[in-house]
Amino acid sequence: MLNVEKKGSYVYWFTYKDAEGASKATLPVRFKGKSTDLDLTAMGEKPTAVKLFVMNRTTGNLAISEYPPSKGTQDVDLKADDLQYIRSVRLRIVAEDGKPVESAIVSITDGMNTKMTALVTPADEGVATFANVVSGEATVKVETENLRKTIDSDIEIPEKRDTPGYERDIKVAGDVNTLTIKPKAKEASAKPDSMGAAIVHAVVGFIVIIIIIAVVAIVLKVKGVTSKAALQGLGVELPGDANGQAVPGAPGAPAIDPNVCQFCGQRKDANGQCVCSAIPGAAVPAASTSSGPRLVGFQGVYAGHIFEIAGAMVMGRDADNPIALPNDSTASRRHATISQSNGGYSIRDEGSSNGTFVNGAKITEQTLSAGDEIQVGGTKFRFEV
Protein backbone atom coordinates (compact mmCIF):
# COMPACT_ATOMS: atom_id res chain seq x y z
CA MET A 1 0.00 0.00 0.00
CA LEU A 2 1.26 3.49 -0.92
CA ASN A 3 0.12 6.40 1.24
CA VAL A 4 0.78 10.10 0.61
CA GLU A 5 0.26 12.93 3.05
CA LYS A 6 -1.65 15.29 0.77
CA LYS A 7 -4.56 14.34 -1.46
CA GLY A 8 -3.89 14.90 -5.14
CA SER A 9 -3.19 13.36 -8.53
CA TYR A 10 -0.07 11.17 -8.71
CA VAL A 11 1.75 8.56 -10.75
CA TYR A 12 4.14 5.90 -9.50
CA TRP A 13 6.60 3.52 -11.16
CA PHE A 14 9.51 1.24 -10.29
CA THR A 15 13.04 0.95 -11.62
CA TYR A 16 14.80 -2.38 -11.12
CA LYS A 17 17.18 -4.98 -12.48
CA ASP A 18 15.72 -8.19 -13.84
CA ALA A 19 17.04 -11.73 -13.32
CA GLU A 20 19.67 -11.15 -16.01
CA GLY A 21 20.88 -7.87 -14.47
CA ALA A 22 19.34 -5.58 -17.11
CA SER A 23 18.07 -2.20 -15.87
CA LYS A 24 14.36 -1.75 -16.50
CA ALA A 25 11.37 0.37 -15.47
CA THR A 26 7.65 -0.31 -15.14
CA LEU A 27 4.95 1.69 -16.87
CA PRO A 28 3.83 4.66 -14.69
CA VAL A 29 0.48 4.05 -12.94
CA ARG A 30 -1.86 6.95 -12.25
CA PHE A 31 -3.90 7.29 -9.08
CA LYS A 32 -5.88 9.99 -7.28
CA GLY A 33 -6.45 10.63 -3.62
CA LYS A 34 -4.08 9.71 -0.80
CA SER A 35 -3.47 5.96 -1.22
CA THR A 36 -3.29 3.10 -3.70
CA ASP A 37 -2.22 -0.54 -3.86
CA LEU A 38 1.22 -1.10 -5.41
CA ASP A 39 1.35 -3.49 -8.35
CA LEU A 40 4.60 -5.50 -8.25
CA THR A 41 3.69 -8.04 -10.92
CA ALA A 42 5.13 -5.96 -13.77
CA MET A 43 8.67 -6.53 -12.39
CA GLY A 44 8.46 -10.28 -12.79
CA GLU A 45 10.22 -12.67 -10.44
CA LYS A 46 13.17 -11.80 -8.20
CA PRO A 47 13.86 -8.18 -9.23
CA THR A 48 16.80 -6.47 -7.54
CA ALA A 49 17.91 -2.85 -6.91
CA VAL A 50 14.26 -1.79 -6.84
CA LYS A 51 13.42 1.91 -6.43
CA LEU A 52 9.94 3.41 -6.10
CA PHE A 53 9.21 6.76 -7.81
CA VAL A 54 6.10 8.77 -6.88
CA MET A 55 5.35 12.01 -8.76
CA ASN A 56 2.79 14.72 -8.10
CA ARG A 57 1.29 15.31 -11.58
CA THR A 58 0.48 18.95 -10.79
CA THR A 59 3.81 20.14 -9.42
CA GLY A 60 6.17 17.69 -11.12
CA ASN A 61 7.88 17.00 -7.77
CA LEU A 62 8.63 13.39 -6.95
CA ALA A 63 9.85 11.13 -4.17
CA ILE A 64 12.42 8.38 -4.66
CA SER A 65 12.85 5.56 -2.17
CA GLU A 66 14.40 2.10 -1.96
CA TYR A 67 11.86 -0.74 -2.11
CA PRO A 68 12.87 -4.25 -0.97
CA PRO A 69 10.47 -6.66 -2.74
CA SER A 70 12.18 -9.66 -1.17
CA LYS A 71 10.33 -8.85 2.06
CA GLY A 72 6.95 -9.03 0.35
CA THR A 73 4.51 -6.18 -0.19
CA GLN A 74 5.58 -3.18 1.87
CA ASP A 75 3.52 -0.20 3.05
CA VAL A 76 5.12 3.08 1.97
CA ASP A 77 4.18 6.31 3.75
CA LEU A 78 5.30 9.53 2.06
CA LYS A 79 5.21 12.98 3.62
CA ALA A 80 4.92 16.14 1.56
CA ASP A 81 8.61 16.93 2.20
CA ASP A 82 9.61 13.60 0.63
CA LEU A 83 8.54 14.87 -2.79
CA GLN A 84 11.70 16.98 -3.11
CA TYR A 85 13.05 15.77 -6.45
CA ILE A 86 12.58 17.62 -9.76
CA ARG A 87 12.02 15.21 -12.64
CA SER A 88 13.60 17.42 -15.30
CA VAL A 89 16.16 20.25 -14.93
CA ARG A 90 17.33 21.99 -18.11
CA LEU A 91 20.32 24.33 -17.86
CA ARG A 92 21.06 26.44 -20.96
CA ILE A 93 24.75 27.37 -21.00
CA VAL A 94 25.22 30.80 -22.59
CA ALA A 95 28.04 33.28 -23.11
CA GLU A 96 27.87 36.81 -21.77
CA ASP A 97 26.23 37.98 -25.02
CA GLY A 98 23.40 35.45 -24.52
CA LYS A 99 24.44 33.06 -27.30
CA PRO A 100 24.41 29.33 -26.39
CA VAL A 101 27.75 27.58 -26.15
CA GLU A 102 28.56 25.09 -28.89
CA SER A 103 29.88 22.23 -26.72
CA ALA A 104 30.49 21.66 -23.02
CA ILE A 105 30.55 19.21 -20.13
CA VAL A 106 28.16 20.37 -17.41
CA SER A 107 28.08 19.03 -13.85
CA ILE A 108 25.51 19.76 -11.16
CA THR A 109 25.76 18.88 -7.46
CA ASP A 110 22.38 19.06 -5.70
CA GLY A 111 21.44 19.52 -2.03
CA MET A 112 21.89 15.80 -1.33
CA ASN A 113 25.50 16.13 -2.57
CA THR A 114 24.63 14.02 -5.59
CA LYS A 115 26.72 14.88 -8.64
CA MET A 116 25.37 14.47 -12.15
CA THR A 117 27.06 15.21 -15.47
CA ALA A 118 25.63 15.95 -18.92
CA LEU A 119 27.29 16.41 -22.30
CA VAL A 120 26.29 19.37 -24.50
CA THR A 121 26.79 19.03 -28.25
CA PRO A 122 25.95 21.47 -31.09
CA ALA A 123 22.69 19.57 -31.58
CA ASP A 124 21.62 20.41 -28.00
CA GLU A 125 21.72 24.18 -28.65
CA GLY A 126 23.51 24.77 -25.37
CA VAL A 127 21.07 22.83 -23.16
CA ALA A 128 22.21 20.30 -20.54
CA THR A 129 19.40 18.10 -19.21
CA PHE A 130 19.36 16.38 -15.81
CA ALA A 131 16.78 14.03 -14.27
CA ASN A 132 15.68 13.59 -10.64
CA VAL A 133 17.50 16.55 -9.10
CA VAL A 134 16.84 17.53 -5.48
CA SER A 135 15.34 20.99 -5.11
CA GLY A 136 17.19 23.67 -3.15
CA GLU A 137 20.78 24.90 -3.46
CA ALA A 138 22.91 23.40 -6.23
CA THR A 139 26.39 23.97 -7.64
CA VAL A 140 26.97 24.10 -11.40
CA LYS A 141 30.35 23.52 -13.07
CA VAL A 142 30.93 24.03 -16.80
CA GLU A 143 33.90 22.78 -18.80
CA THR A 144 34.36 24.20 -22.31
CA GLU A 145 37.12 25.54 -24.51
CA ASN A 146 38.55 28.98 -23.55
CA LEU A 147 36.34 29.16 -20.44
CA ARG A 148 37.42 31.72 -17.85
CA LYS A 149 34.78 31.03 -15.20
CA THR A 150 31.19 29.93 -14.60
CA ILE A 151 29.33 33.08 -13.58
CA ASP A 152 26.17 31.35 -12.31
CA SER A 153 27.93 28.57 -10.42
CA ASP A 154 25.57 28.67 -7.41
CA ILE A 155 21.86 28.41 -8.12
CA GLU A 156 18.63 27.74 -6.25
CA ILE A 157 16.21 25.17 -7.72
CA PRO A 158 12.78 26.11 -6.33
CA GLU A 159 10.50 23.45 -4.91
CA LYS A 160 7.44 25.41 -6.06
CA ARG A 161 7.40 26.33 -9.75
CA ASP A 162 5.01 27.41 -12.49
CA THR A 163 5.96 24.39 -14.59
CA PRO A 164 6.59 20.71 -13.66
CA GLY A 165 10.22 20.99 -14.81
CA TYR A 166 12.81 23.70 -14.21
CA GLU A 167 14.77 25.71 -16.74
CA ARG A 168 17.26 28.57 -16.48
CA ASP A 169 20.30 30.09 -18.18
CA ILE A 170 23.80 29.58 -16.80
CA LYS A 171 26.19 32.33 -17.91
CA VAL A 172 29.88 31.68 -18.46
CA ALA A 173 32.76 34.07 -19.13
CA GLY A 174 35.55 33.69 -21.64
CA ASP A 175 36.18 33.48 -25.37
CA VAL A 176 33.98 30.38 -25.67
CA ASN A 177 32.66 28.96 -28.92
CA THR A 178 28.99 29.79 -29.41
CA LEU A 179 26.21 28.95 -31.83
CA THR A 180 24.74 31.48 -34.23
CA ILE A 181 21.05 32.00 -33.54
CA LYS A 182 19.10 32.27 -36.77
CA PRO A 183 16.24 34.77 -36.58
CA LYS A 184 12.83 33.24 -36.95
CA ALA A 185 10.97 33.94 -40.16
CA LYS A 186 8.81 37.02 -39.76
CA GLU A 187 6.44 36.17 -42.59
CA ALA A 188 4.65 33.51 -40.57
CA SER A 189 3.94 35.89 -37.67
CA ALA A 190 3.68 39.22 -39.48
CA LYS A 191 0.39 40.98 -38.89
CA PRO A 192 -1.54 37.99 -37.57
CA ASP A 193 -4.66 40.10 -37.09
CA SER A 194 -4.63 41.17 -40.75
CA MET A 195 -4.15 37.59 -41.94
CA GLY A 196 -6.93 36.34 -39.71
CA ALA A 197 -9.24 39.08 -40.96
CA ALA A 198 -8.44 38.20 -44.57
CA ILE A 199 -9.26 34.54 -43.94
CA VAL A 200 -12.55 35.46 -42.25
CA HIS A 201 -13.49 37.76 -45.15
CA ALA A 202 -12.72 35.01 -47.69
CA VAL A 203 -14.85 32.46 -45.82
CA VAL A 204 -17.75 34.91 -45.44
CA GLY A 205 -17.57 35.78 -49.15
CA PHE A 206 -17.62 32.11 -50.11
CA ILE A 207 -20.67 31.47 -47.90
CA VAL A 208 -22.50 34.47 -49.40
CA ILE A 209 -21.87 33.16 -52.94
CA ILE A 210 -23.24 29.72 -51.98
CA ILE A 211 -26.36 31.31 -50.46
CA ILE A 212 -26.96 33.42 -53.60
CA ILE A 213 -26.61 30.36 -55.86
CA ALA A 214 -29.01 28.38 -53.64
CA VAL A 215 -31.61 31.18 -53.64
CA VAL A 216 -31.44 31.56 -57.44
CA ALA A 217 -31.78 27.78 -57.89
CA ILE A 218 -34.85 27.69 -55.61
CA VAL A 219 -36.51 30.61 -57.43
CA LEU A 220 -35.92 29.02 -60.85
CA LYS A 221 -37.26 25.68 -59.62
CA VAL A 222 -40.43 27.33 -58.25
CA LYS A 223 -40.99 29.06 -61.60
CA GLY A 224 -40.35 25.84 -63.51
CA VAL A 225 -37.37 27.27 -65.38
CA THR A 226 -34.32 25.07 -65.93
CA SER A 227 -30.78 26.41 -65.62
CA LYS A 228 -30.25 25.95 -69.37
CA ALA A 229 -33.41 27.87 -70.17
CA ALA A 230 -32.35 30.67 -67.80
CA LEU A 231 -28.95 30.94 -69.49
CA GLN A 232 -30.56 30.99 -72.94
CA GLY A 233 -32.92 33.72 -71.76
CA LEU A 234 -29.82 35.79 -70.95
CA GLY A 235 -28.57 35.31 -74.51
CA VAL A 236 -26.02 32.59 -73.73
CA GLU A 237 -25.53 30.27 -76.71
CA LEU A 238 -26.02 26.62 -75.69
CA PRO A 239 -25.71 23.57 -77.97
CA GLY A 240 -28.86 21.59 -78.72
CA ASP A 241 -29.16 17.84 -78.29
CA ALA A 242 -27.54 15.25 -80.56
CA ASN A 243 -30.27 15.74 -83.20
CA GLY A 244 -30.06 19.53 -83.17
CA GLN A 245 -33.38 19.85 -81.30
CA ALA A 246 -34.03 22.65 -78.86
CA VAL A 247 -33.37 22.13 -75.19
CA PRO A 248 -36.64 21.41 -73.32
CA GLY A 249 -37.78 24.48 -71.40
CA ALA A 250 -35.85 26.91 -73.62
CA PRO A 251 -37.69 29.69 -75.48
CA GLY A 252 -39.41 28.21 -78.57
CA ALA A 253 -39.14 24.62 -77.34
CA PRO A 254 -42.31 22.50 -77.03
CA ALA A 255 -43.88 22.27 -73.58
CA ILE A 256 -42.92 19.28 -71.40
CA ASP A 257 -45.80 16.98 -70.39
CA PRO A 258 -45.13 16.01 -66.74
CA ASN A 259 -47.32 12.91 -67.15
CA VAL A 260 -45.05 11.39 -69.80
CA CYS A 261 -41.73 9.68 -68.89
CA GLN A 262 -38.82 11.47 -70.57
CA PHE A 263 -36.89 8.18 -70.78
CA CYS A 264 -39.30 5.64 -72.33
CA GLY A 265 -42.09 7.93 -73.63
CA GLN A 266 -44.83 6.04 -71.76
CA ARG A 267 -47.47 7.75 -69.63
CA LYS A 268 -46.96 7.60 -65.87
CA ASP A 269 -49.47 5.98 -63.50
CA ALA A 270 -51.14 7.60 -60.48
CA ASN A 271 -47.97 7.02 -58.41
CA GLY A 272 -45.77 8.76 -60.97
CA GLN A 273 -44.26 5.48 -62.20
CA CYS A 274 -43.90 4.47 -65.83
CA VAL A 275 -43.21 1.15 -67.55
CA CYS A 276 -39.43 1.40 -67.15
CA SER A 277 -39.39 3.03 -63.68
CA ALA A 278 -36.16 4.65 -64.91
CA ILE A 279 -33.91 7.00 -63.06
CA PRO A 280 -32.03 9.87 -64.71
CA GLY A 281 -29.29 8.46 -66.91
CA ALA A 282 -30.84 5.00 -67.17
CA ALA A 283 -31.14 3.19 -70.47
CA VAL A 284 -34.62 2.82 -72.04
CA PRO A 285 -35.76 -0.82 -71.74
CA ALA A 286 -36.10 -2.73 -74.92
CA ALA A 287 -39.55 -3.98 -75.79
CA SER A 288 -40.11 -7.59 -74.68
CA THR A 289 -42.55 -9.97 -76.31
CA SER A 290 -41.87 -12.79 -73.85
CA SER A 291 -44.33 -13.56 -71.07
CA GLY A 292 -41.82 -15.73 -69.19
CA PRO A 293 -39.90 -14.83 -66.01
CA ARG A 294 -37.53 -11.89 -66.25
CA LEU A 295 -35.52 -9.34 -64.28
CA VAL A 296 -36.37 -5.66 -64.86
CA GLY A 297 -33.76 -3.20 -63.66
CA PHE A 298 -35.44 -0.22 -62.02
CA GLN A 299 -32.63 1.48 -60.04
CA GLY A 300 -28.86 1.76 -60.35
CA VAL A 301 -26.32 0.89 -63.02
CA TYR A 302 -28.62 -1.35 -65.08
CA ALA A 303 -31.89 0.51 -64.51
CA GLY A 304 -34.11 0.04 -67.55
CA HIS A 305 -32.48 -3.25 -68.63
CA ILE A 306 -34.55 -6.42 -68.95
CA PHE A 307 -33.07 -9.93 -68.69
CA GLU A 308 -35.16 -12.95 -69.70
CA ILE A 309 -34.72 -16.01 -67.45
CA ALA A 310 -34.53 -19.48 -69.00
CA GLY A 311 -33.32 -22.29 -66.77
CA ALA A 312 -30.34 -21.72 -64.42
CA MET A 313 -28.63 -18.38 -65.17
CA VAL A 314 -25.56 -16.91 -63.51
CA MET A 315 -25.47 -13.14 -63.12
CA GLY A 316 -22.38 -11.07 -62.38
CA ARG A 317 -19.61 -8.83 -63.72
CA ASP A 318 -18.08 -11.53 -65.99
CA ALA A 319 -19.07 -10.79 -69.62
CA ASP A 320 -19.58 -14.54 -70.29
CA ASN A 321 -22.40 -14.82 -67.74
CA PRO A 322 -25.93 -15.33 -69.14
CA ILE A 323 -26.89 -12.21 -67.18
CA ALA A 324 -23.77 -10.10 -67.68
CA LEU A 325 -23.25 -6.90 -65.63
CA PRO A 326 -19.81 -5.81 -66.90
CA ASN A 327 -20.36 -2.12 -66.08
CA ASP A 328 -21.09 -2.68 -62.37
CA SER A 329 -17.79 -2.65 -60.47
CA THR A 330 -19.59 -3.52 -57.20
CA ALA A 331 -20.86 -6.84 -58.57
CA SER A 332 -18.69 -9.97 -58.26
CA ARG A 333 -17.67 -11.88 -61.39
CA ARG A 334 -20.06 -14.72 -60.48
CA HIS A 335 -22.39 -12.93 -58.08
CA ALA A 336 -25.59 -15.03 -57.93
CA THR A 337 -27.53 -17.74 -59.79
CA ILE A 338 -31.26 -17.73 -60.61
CA SER A 339 -32.66 -21.21 -61.26
CA GLN A 340 -35.98 -23.03 -61.55
CA SER A 341 -36.90 -25.43 -58.77
CA ASN A 342 -40.12 -27.15 -57.63
CA GLY A 343 -42.17 -25.35 -60.25
CA GLY A 344 -40.89 -21.92 -59.14
CA TYR A 345 -37.71 -19.87 -59.15
CA SER A 346 -35.03 -19.21 -56.56
CA ILE A 347 -31.85 -17.15 -56.29
CA ARG A 348 -28.57 -18.29 -54.67
CA ASP A 349 -25.62 -16.07 -53.71
CA GLU A 350 -22.34 -17.42 -55.13
CA GLY A 351 -20.09 -16.10 -52.35
CA SER A 352 -20.15 -12.52 -53.66
CA SER A 353 -18.10 -9.78 -52.02
CA ASN A 354 -21.01 -7.38 -51.39
CA GLY A 355 -23.83 -9.91 -50.95
CA THR A 356 -27.19 -10.54 -52.62
CA PHE A 357 -30.37 -8.96 -51.24
CA VAL A 358 -34.04 -9.84 -51.69
CA ASN A 359 -36.54 -7.23 -50.54
CA GLY A 360 -33.73 -5.53 -48.59
CA ALA A 361 -32.60 -8.66 -46.71
CA LYS A 362 -29.22 -10.30 -47.34
CA ILE A 363 -29.71 -13.92 -48.44
CA THR A 364 -27.77 -17.09 -49.14
CA GLU A 365 -30.59 -18.77 -51.07
CA GLN A 366 -34.16 -17.52 -51.41
CA THR A 367 -37.34 -18.62 -53.24
CA LEU A 368 -38.61 -15.83 -55.49
CA SER A 369 -42.14 -14.51 -55.88
CA ALA A 370 -43.48 -12.14 -58.52
CA GLY A 371 -42.66 -8.55 -57.60
CA ASP A 372 -39.68 -9.38 -55.38
CA GLU A 373 -36.91 -6.78 -55.42
CA ILE A 374 -33.42 -8.20 -55.97
CA GLN A 375 -30.23 -6.19 -55.46
CA VAL A 376 -27.01 -7.38 -57.09
CA GLY A 377 -24.07 -4.98 -56.82
CA GLY A 378 -25.23 -1.45 -57.59
CA THR A 379 -28.49 -2.42 -59.36
CA LYS A 380 -31.97 -3.25 -58.11
CA PHE A 381 -34.12 -5.57 -60.23
CA ARG A 382 -37.82 -6.49 -60.05
CA PHE A 383 -38.62 -10.19 -60.58
CA GLU A 384 -41.56 -10.58 -62.91
CA VAL A 385 -43.32 -13.76 -63.98
Side-chain angles (χ1 to χ4, degrees), residues 11-31:
V11 293
Y12 77 84
W13 68 93
F14 292 98
T15 62
Y16 65 98
K17 290 185 178 181
D18 62 13
E20 297 179 355
S23 297
K24 293 188 176 181
T26 62
L27 186 68
V29 178
R30 180 188 298 186
F31 71 95

Side-chain angles (χ1 to χ4, degrees), residues 190-259:
K191 298 182 178 180
D193 294 339
S194 299
M195 292 179 63
I199 294 174
V200 171
H201 291 161
V203 172
V204 171
F206 183 70
I207 295 175
V208 170
I209 292 174
I210 293 177
I211 293 174
I212 293 174
I213 293 174
V215 171
V216 171
I218 293 172
V219 172
L220 293 175
K221 185 175 182 180
V222 171
K223 293 184 177 182
V225 180
T226 65
S227 57
K228 289 185 177 180
L231 291 173
Q232 287 183 333
L234 295 174
V236 179
E237 292 288 342
L238 293 175
D241 62 14
N243 299 319
Q245 298 176 349
V247 177
I256 299 174
D257 187 347
N259 295 317

